[in-house]
């Protein structure tokens, strides 16, 4: 898994460079050929070193005892497993390396639209957040937060402490046990930020400058997209997996690519976390770190929102964070791409 992640990181570094598509493809092909040559050299070196090592050990064992010379301990030569290289095995290893190189090429073509800043056959790459509009104060920012989860509560609290203009908490239903949302909203009344709660309402949502989706329901997502399209306001998808202490967020407008689907850096870890056995092994770690990891993630998100509203193009537009593995994958909001086919 470590080698896969290192290779993925190298690919993304190349794609995020300033070179043209043709130069980038040439660099990647050179990297793969170098890997193949290095592997072949290692196989050749091992095949020549092993017989030499065996001969040296045979010589040591056959040396007669001499006065004052330490005797070489007797050993079973079968333990050393010196074997002549099998040509078929070498050919198979070379074929495996070539197959891996081919898979890398396919992956590169798939992720090209997400990271290539130049034109490609797939279409023109447009970056809708390349130059965020600058606002002098965060007090002009009105945020809609959908869902009543632990993350959404932390987000609301963080935005209120930062002094944004208003926060509207939208709920899927008005009925909640013990009126928990109402009590939560009341606890934030001491801040200068105006805070209110409501059921899902696309008209009210469209009146906000930014929409945060913290609930995994198709209805909420469709209402968000409709409100965003009507007002032109971006929206942020916020996702948390409590069973693995994994979190992510991304800014969206209509047609913006979902980075997670192309993120080869996190792909091995995401695949690993799909295993029930892996989740079970992580239970104790997750229970220990989940609360602090959630606070860390929300802090990064709130900081990103404030930077984005103040017109900073280096604000993070995509973050994937796995606390148990201490892994991050991030992309600035200015690099998020909208593809017109």
């Amino acid at each position: 898994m470590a080698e896969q992640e290192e290779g993925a990181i190298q690919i993304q570094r190349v794609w995020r460079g300033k070179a043209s598509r043709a130069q980038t493809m040439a660099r990647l092909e050179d990297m793969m050929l170098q890997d193949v040559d290095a592997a072949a050299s290692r196989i050749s070196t091992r095949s020549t070193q092993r017989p030499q090592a065996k001969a040296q050990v045979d010589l040591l064992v056959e040396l007669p005892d001499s006065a004052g010379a330490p005797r070489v301990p007797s050993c079973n030569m079968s333990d050393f497993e010196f074997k002549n290289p099998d040509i078929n095995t070498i050919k198979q290893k070379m074929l495996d390396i070539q197959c891996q190189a081919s898979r890398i090429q396919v992956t590169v073509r798939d992720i090209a639209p997400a990271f290539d800043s130049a034109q490609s056959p797939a279409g023109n790459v447009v970056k809708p957040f390349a130059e965020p509009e600058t606002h002098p104060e965060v007090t002009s920012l009105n945020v809609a937060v959908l869902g009543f989860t632990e993350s959404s509560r932390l987000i609301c609290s963080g935005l209120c402490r930062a002094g944004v203009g208003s926060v509207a908490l939208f709920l899927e239903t008005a009925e909640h046990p013990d009126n928990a949302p109402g009590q939560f909203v009341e606890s934030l009344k001491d801040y200068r930020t105006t805070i209110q709660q409501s059921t899902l309402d696309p008209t009210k949502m469209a009146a906000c400058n930014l929409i945060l989706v913290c609930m995994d329901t198709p209805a909420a997502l469709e209402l968000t997209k409709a409100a965003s399209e009507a007002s032109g306001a971006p929206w942020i998808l916020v996702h948390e997996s409590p069973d693995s202490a994994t979190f992510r967020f991304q800014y969206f407008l209509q047609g913006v690519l979902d980075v997670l689907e192309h993120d080869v850096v996190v792909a091995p870890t995401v695949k690993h976390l799909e295993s029930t056995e892996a989740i079970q092994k992580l239970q104790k770690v997750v229970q220990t770190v989940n609360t602090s990891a959630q606070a860390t993630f929300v802090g990064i998100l709130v900081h990103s929102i404030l930077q984005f509203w103040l017109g900073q193009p280096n604000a993070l537009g995509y973050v994937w964070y796995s606390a148990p593995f201490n892994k991050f994958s991030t992309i600035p909001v200015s690099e998020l791409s909208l593809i017109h086919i």
Side-chain angles (χ1 to χ4, degrees):
M1 183 179 295
E3 293 179 356
Q4 293 175 347
E5 291 179 357
E6 180 62 27
I9 291 172
Q10 291 180 5
I11 291 174
Q12 282 200 4
R13 285 174 180 166
V14 173
W15 274 113
R16 292 175 184 174
K18 301 297 183 182
S20 66
R21 182 179 178 82
Q23 292 173 330
T24 302
M25 286 300 299
R27 288 179 60 191
L28 288 172
E29 289 176 358
D30 287 342
M31 289 166 55
M32 289 183 286
L33 289 175
Q34 290 173 7
D35 288 342
V36 171
D37 290 341
S41 298
R42 288 196 297 269
I43 294 173
S44 177
T45 301
R46 289 171 184 169
S47 66
T48 56
Q49 287 178 346
R50 286 183 177 180
Q52 294 175 1
K54 182 180 185 303
Q56 291 172 357
V57 173
D58 288 340
L59 179 61
L60 287 173
V61 173
E62 293 172 359
L63 285 175
D65 293 339
S66 59
R71 179 178 177 80
V72 178
S74 61
C75 58
N76 187 353
M77 290 305 300
S78 62
D79 294 338
F80 288 88
E81 296 184 353
F82 292 111
K83 298 178 181 179
N84 292 324
D86 179 52
I87 189 63
N88 292 326
T89 302
I90 295 176
K91 287 182 178 180
Q92 185 59 47
K93 288 183 178 180
M94 295 298 295
L95 287 174
D96 291 342
I97 294 172
Q98 290 175 341
C99 289
Q100 290 178 8
S102 299
R103 287 196 293 271
I104 291 174
Q105 285 184 316
V106 172
T107 301
V108 164
R109 295 190 187 99
D110 289 341
I111 68 173
F115 302 108
D116 189 4
S117 59
Q119 291 189 353
S120 67
N124 296 327
V125 178
V126 179
K127 298 178 179 179
F129 304 114
E131 297 180 359
E133 184 179 352
T134 301
H135 302 85
E137 299 288 344
V138 296
T139 52
S140 59
L141 173 60
N142 303 311
V143 184
V145 180
L146 279 61
F148 189 64
T149 64
E150 183 61 32
S151 288
S152 68
R153 292 195 289 270
L154 290 173
I155 292 170
C156 290
S157 299
L159 292 172
C160 287
R161 288 195 298 271
V164 302
S166 68
V167 174
L169 179 61
F170 290 92
L171 311 175
E172 196 168 14
T173 176
E175 299 180 0
H176 279 266
D178 303 325
N179 190 29
Q183 294 179 13
F184 171 72
V185 169
E186 191 65 28
S187 69
L188 299 177
K189 291 292 186 181
D190 293 338
Y191 293 100
R192 63 180 180 178
T193 299
T194 302
I195 183 164
Q196 56 185 336
Q197 74 174 81
S198 171
T199 54
L200 292 176
D201 186 333
T203 302
K204 293 181 179 180
M205 291 161 56
C208 296
N209 309 117
L210 188 64
I211 305 170
L212 276 70
V213 185
C214 303
M215 57 171 62
D216 294 329
T217 62
L221 199 56
E222 289 302 319
L223 288 175
T224 299
K225 291 179 179 179
S228 173
E229 188 173 357
S231 65
W235 56 280
I236 302 176
L237 178 64
V238 182
H239 184 267
E240 56 182 316
S241 300
D243 57 345
S244 62
T246 303
F247 311 85
R248 72 179 172 103
F249 74 78
Q250 183 185 334
Y251 287 68
F252 281 96
L253 281 171
Q254 185 179 10
V256 169
L257 285 174
D258 188 342
V259 175
L260 182 64
E261 297 179 0
H262 303 272
D263 194 340
V264 294
V265 171
V266 307
T269 306
V270 171
K271 182 67 176 178
H272 178 67
L273 291 174
E274 292 176 357
S275 167
T276 304
E277 182 181 357
I279 295 295
Q280 290 175 346
K281 290 181 179 179
L282 290 173
Q283 280 186 349
K284 290 185 178 180
V285 176
V286 169
Q287 291 171 359
T288 303
V289 305
N290 191 60
T291 301
S292 60
Q294 194 170 49
T296 299
F297 170 76
V298 170
I300 295 173
L301 172 56
V302 171
H303 182 69
S304 167
I305 292 171
L306 299 177
Q307 278 193 309
F308 175 75
W309 189 248
L310 295 176
Q312 299 297 314
N314 61 337
L316 293 177
Y318 164 81
V319 169
W320 183 93
Y321 170 44
S322 174
F325 296 100
N326 195 30
K327 291 188 179 297
F328 279 92
S329 180
T330 65
I331 292 179
V333 69
S334 58
E335 292 300 318
L336 296 178
S337 300
L338 173 68
I339 305 296
H340 293 291
I341 305 299

